[in-house]
Amino acid sequence: MNKKRIFALVIIVTVIAAIWTNPKKEQHELVVKEKAEYLLKNQLGKKEQSLFDIGMQLFGHNAVEDFVSKNVVVENFYLFSLTKIKWQGKDNPIGVGAFGKIWLSSKIDEKATEIIDAIKNN
């Protein structure tokens, strides 16, 4: 085989692998939910950690899940997908998914205070 055919074959296999392993919406939501819970926990002081744990057991998981299900938008581009959060009338991209992985950008950390306040108020 010549180099052009090998290169074309590698590209085709890579494209098929990207399509096959593109993360589903549920995977994006799970990653955002875990990140939101992590940010909530880190926003509190050490004294409030036990209260946070009790609160999350009683109602926090539902509040986070409700927020994520209403505000997380996933755009599928077949080779990759974008994770966005609807916030103040805008879709803010916060992550990308490809090859079975989801990477969240630092933008979610920038908006953490706003998101956490919204979750606390629900």
Side-chain angles (χ1 to χ4, degrees):
M1 266 201 226
N2 64 20
K3 290 181 181 181
K4 288 182 182 181
R5 287 186 182 172
I6 292 173
F7 181 73
L9 185 61
V10 168
I11 295 295
I12 290 170
V13 169
T14 303
V15 168
I16 290 172
I19 292 170
W20 189 271
T21 62
N22 192 17
K24 307 279 187 267
K25 181 178 180 176
E26 295 81 21
Q27 292 170 294
H28 285 271
E29 289 177 349
L30 179 64
V31 169
V32 173
K33 186 181 120 202
E34 289 172 353
K35 183 68 171 186
E37 289 176 2
Y38 171 79
L39 291 172
L40 270 172
K41 194 169 189 172
N42 284 342
Q43 288 278 326
L44 301 173
K46 290 187 179 187
K47 294 178 183 177
E48 300 163 327
Q49 288 300 319
S50 60
L51 294 175
F52 171 78
D53 293 335
I54 292 169
M56 285 302 286
Q57 289 176 359
L58 294 175
F59 67 91
H61 292 291
N62 292 336
V64 172
E65 286 178 20
D66 186 49
F67 177 82
V68 168
S69 67
K70 289 180 182 177
N71 295 301
V72 171
V73 177
V74 177
E75 290 186 15
N76 186 355
F77 294 97
Y78 299 106
L79 299 178
F80 66 95
S81 49
L82 292 178
T83 309
K84 296 182 177 184
I85 288 188
K86 288 185 204 173
W87 192 250
Q88 298 175 340
K90 297 179 184 176
D91 285 348
N92 300 294
I94 59 163
V96 64
F99 297 103
K101 302 278 187 198
I102 300 165
W103 298 275
L104 296 178
S105 74
S106 60
K107 287 189 177 192
I108 194 169
D109 294 329
E110 295 171 7
K111 296 204 174 275
T113 304
E114 294 176 45
I115 293 169
I116 289 169
D117 288 341
I119 291 172
K120 285 180 183 177
N121 292 328
N122 282 339

